[in-house]
Amino acid sequence: MPYDKPLPKINSDNRPFWEGCRKQELRFQKCKDCDHVRWPPSDLCPLCHSTEINWSVSKGIGKVFTFAIYHTAYHPGFASDLPYTVAVVALDEGPHLLTSIVECPPNEVKCDMLVKVVWEEINEKITLPKFMPLI
């Protein structure tokens, strides 16, 4: 069955992130000068303005920072998922990632709930990071 939801647009800035996801690794830019871990990727560290970066692998553990439960499908591809939870997860390494909460009823999602990354393989190019409660 074809995947009918929007997919990320891969470009030169985010390619290392999506390549990591294919390997089930959450990768984020880390400043070589001040160690700030950032998302989304950029050419310049927002803290020290360095252009020197590495890509580091996250443990994939964090907390729900904020969330919304969708009861209306604003894209037809999500109609069969209703209701579903979209959240901003604050990862232990620092970045905040907009994602889906899965394997948890929407009414049980709470701010500060511990979560871990799980993977949804969409096709040969895209694997999506999603999060589930850390039990």
Side-chain angles (χ1 to χ4, degrees):
M1 182 154 88
Y3 191 80
D4 60 352
K5 296 174 185 165
L7 290 172
K9 304 248 187 275
I10 299 175
N11 59 41
S12 59
D13 291 332
N14 65 28
R15 185 174 317 284
F17 175 82
W18 292 111
E19 288 173 351
C21 289
R22 283 296 304 146
K23 297 177 181 179
Q24 298 190 356
E25 295 177 345
L26 275 181
R27 295 182 186 168
F28 296 102
Q29 283 183 336
K30 184 175 183 178
C31 178
K32 285 184 180 180
D33 292 328
C34 74
D35 289 333
H36 176 66
V37 180
R38 63 183 184 259
W39 179 256
S42 64
D43 291 335
L44 190 68
C45 175
L47 297 186
C48 74
H49 304 233
S50 172
T51 57
E52 300 299 315
I53 61 127
N54 285 319
W55 283 86
S56 63
V57 178
S58 167
K59 295 180 295 181
I61 304 292
K63 292 181 180 179
V64 173
F65 181 76
T66 189
F67 68 95
I69 300 170
Y70 284 77
H71 296 275
T72 301
Y74 294 100
H75 183 282
F78 293 97
S80 64
D81 296 340
L82 295 173
Y84 63 91
T85 307
V86 173
V88 174
V89 169
L91 292 156
D92 287 353
E93 295 83 5
H96 287 58
L97 188 65
L98 182 64
T99 186
S100 298
I101 302 296
V102 296
E103 299 185 39
C104 182
N107 65 331
E108 292 181 17
V109 176
K110 306 282 185 247
C111 285
D112 293 326
M113 181 173 78
L114 291 174
V115 291
K116 67 177 181 178
V117 70
V118 292
W119 301 96
E120 181 180 358
E121 188 173 319
I122 304 303
N123 59 39
E124 66 284 345
K125 292 184 181 179
I126 301 289
T127 298
L128 297 176
K130 298 187 177 191
F131 285 78
M132 66 175 281
L134 181 65
I135 298 173

